[in-house]
Amino acid sequence: MNAPPPPSPPHDDDDDNEEVFIDESDILHEVSMDNEDLPDATDDQDSDPEHLDEDDDSLHTFTGHNGELYSVACSPSDSTLVATGGGDDKGFLWKIGNGEWASELKGHKDSVSSLAFSHDGQFLASGGLDGIVQVWDAMGNLRGTLEGPGGGVEWLRWHPRGHVLLAGSEDSTVWMWNAERAAFLNMFAGHGASVTCGDFTPDGKIICTGSDDATLRIWNPRSGENIHVVRGHPYHTEGLTCLSISSSSTLALTGSKDGSAHVVNISTGKVINTVAPHADSIECVGFAPSDSWAAIGSMDQNLVIWDIEHSLSRATCNHEDGVTCLVWLDSSFLATGCLDGNVRLWDSRSGECTATFRGHQHAIQSLSVSADHRYLVSASMDGTARVFELGGPQ
C-alpha cells in the first residue's frame, strides 16, 4: 500500500501569480484510469442530490442562456424554430431536436424582455429593457434596428397580415414601424405610466393598449387617434397586467394587479362583463379560439374558465402556486405556467388537469406552442427553455 502524499503547504497569496512547473520527480504515484472511471461533466444543479430524483418530462432542453429567461416564441411557419430571450441581455434562435444549431441575437444592452414572430414567420422582433427593438430574419441575421422608445420595451406585437410592428414602452408610449423598411410609422401617446400590454385586433383595424395607469386605450392605427379611454368605475383600480382580444375583434379582456378582470366592447369602449374577482394580481388572460370562453390566471393559485356569454365561471383549475402564463391549445384544452416550475395541461370543460410537465427548477415565465401543435415550449427563471411533447405524460 502506498503512503499518502504529504500535506499541502500553507497557501501563500503572494505565490498566486508565480508560474508552477511539474516534472517527473514531483510524481508520487501513478494511477491508471479507464475512460469509464472519469466523472461526467455535470451542472452543479445535477450533482446536487436534491435534484437527482427530480422528474424531467422534457424532450429537449436549451441551455444557451446564462441568466433568467423572460420570453419564448415559436415560429408560425417552421415547427422546429424557437426564439428565447432573457436577463443575460441575449436572444437566441434554436431548433427543437437539433442541438447543433443556434443563432445568437446580439446587440441588446439590457434584458431581452419580449420576442415575436411576424404572421408569416419571415421576421422575428426582439425588444429589450434598453428600449431597442431589433428585427431579424429566420436565420438570425439582423435586418434592422428600430429606435424611439425612451424606456424598456414591455411587449411586441405584429400586425396580423403585414410586417408592421407595435411596441409598448415603460415610458408610457406605444410605437409602430414598418419593420421591412425599418421605417417609423406612428407613436401613440396618452397613457400616464408604463404600457404593460397591447395588441392589434385580429382584423388589423384597431389597436388596444393597457397601462400601469389603470386604463385601456383604443386607437386608430392609421391616424393615431385615441378613440376611447376606459377608466374609473366599474373598471380596474390598479395597473393592467395583461390583455386578450377576441377573434371577432369585438371584445377586449383585461386583467389587473387589483385581482379584477373585465370585458370591454371595443367599438363602444364600455365595460360589458366583469369576472368574479381574484384574491391576488391577475397575470394572464386569454380568449379561447371560439371566443365564448376565456381563461384568467392569477397569483392566487387559481385559473378560472369564464363563460363570456353567460357571465359565469365554468371551472376553476387549482395550482400549487401563482399562475404566470397561459396558452390555448385548441377550443377545449389549454396550458399554464406556474411559479412552482411546472407546466400543466387542462381540460377547460371539466377543470381537470390532464398532464403535468416537470423539469424546471424555478418559475415559468412564458409559454409558446409550435406551429404543428406537437410541442409546447416553456421559458423559466432557472435559465433554461424546455420542450414538452403534447400528448405526453398523463
Side-chain angles (χ1 to χ4, degrees), residues 155-236:
W155 50 270
L156 296 167
R157 294 291 186 274
W158 290 88
H159 189 277
R161 287 186 299 280
H163 292 148
V164 172
L165 182 65
L166 197 63
S169 172
E170 289 177 334
D171 73 354
S172 77
T173 60
V174 180
W175 294 74
M176 188 170 73
W177 304 269
N178 178 316
E180 210 161 357
R181 294 186 285 110
F184 167 79
L185 294 178
N186 222 329
M187 190 267 282
F188 307 88
H191 282 297
S194 179
V195 187
T196 53
C197 50
D199 206 347
F200 289 99
T201 51
D203 62 12
K205 295 177 180 177
I206 294 289
I207 291 169
C208 297
T209 59
S211 168
D212 221 14
D213 66 5
T215 71
L216 174 74
R217 287 179 180 261
I218 298 167
W219 311 85
N220 179 320
R222 288 187 181 277
S223 67
E225 178 197 357
N226 189 180
I227 304 167
H228 297 295
V229 184
V230 186
R231 62 182 159 206
H233 185 78
Y235 203 52
H236 303 294

Side-chain angles (χ1 to χ4, degrees), residues 64-70 84-92 104-113 126-130 134 136:
H65 291 273
N66 54 23
E68 300 169 345
L69 267 64
Y70 299 138
T84 48
D88 55 2
D89 308 349
K90 294 176 183 176
F92 281 98
E104 184 177 341
L105 311 175
K106 298 178 181 178
H108 285 287
K109 299 176 180 65
D110 205 338
S111 298
V112 178
S113 51
S126 62
L129 294 184
D130 53 9
Q134 293 183 300
W136 314 82

Side-chain angles (χ1 to χ4, degrees), residues 2-178:
N2 294 296
S8 302
H11 180 73
D12 186 346
D13 291 336
D14 294 337
D15 294 338
D16 283 350
N17 297 322
E18 291 183 13
E19 291 182 302
V20 177
F21 298 95
I22 295 177
D23 58 32
E24 288 190 7
S25 64
D26 294 315
I27 298 172
L28 297 172
H29 177 56
E30 288 186 88
V31 178
S32 62
M33 291 184 76
D34 295 323
N35 282 338
E36 292 177 6
D37 297 326
L38 293 171
D40 293 329
T42 59
D43 296 327
D44 290 343
Q45 157 181 306
D46 294 333
S47 57
D48 181 347
E50 192 179 311
H51 293 291
L52 290 178
D53 296 327
E54 291 279 354
D55 293 328
D56 187 354
D57 301 313
S58 61
L59 184 75
H60 182 106
T61 304
F62 181 73
T63 57
H65 291 273
N66 54 23
E68 300 169 345
L69 267 64
Y70 299 138
S71 184
V72 60
C74 291
S75 165
S77 57
D78 180 343
S79 295
T80 64
L81 189 62
V82 181
T84 48
D88 55 2
D89 308 349
K90 294 176 183 176
F92 281 98
L93 270 172
W94 49 274
K95 294 197 172 184
I96 297 170
N98 182 356
E100 302 300 311
W101 186 84
S103 179
E104 184 177 341
L105 311 175
K106 298 178 181 178
H108 285 287
K109 299 176 180 65
D110 205 338
S111 298
V112 178
S113 51
S114 46
L115 294 161
F117 280 97
S118 59
H119 71 98
D120 55 5
Q122 190 176 339
F123 297 111
L124 169 72
S126 62
L129 294 184
D130 53 9
I132 293 171
V133 175
Q134 293 183 300
V135 178
W136 314 82
D137 65 21
M139 292 303 293
N141 301 305
L142 182 63
R143 295 293 299 269
T145 299
L146 310 176
E147 296 182 352
V153 176
E154 290 272 3
W155 50 270
L156 296 167
R157 294 291 186 274
W158 290 88
H159 189 277
R161 287 186 299 280
H163 292 148
V164 172
L165 182 65
L166 197 63
S169 172
E170 289 177 334
D171 73 354
S172 77
T173 60
V174 180
W175 294 74
M176 188 170 73
W177 304 269
N178 178 316

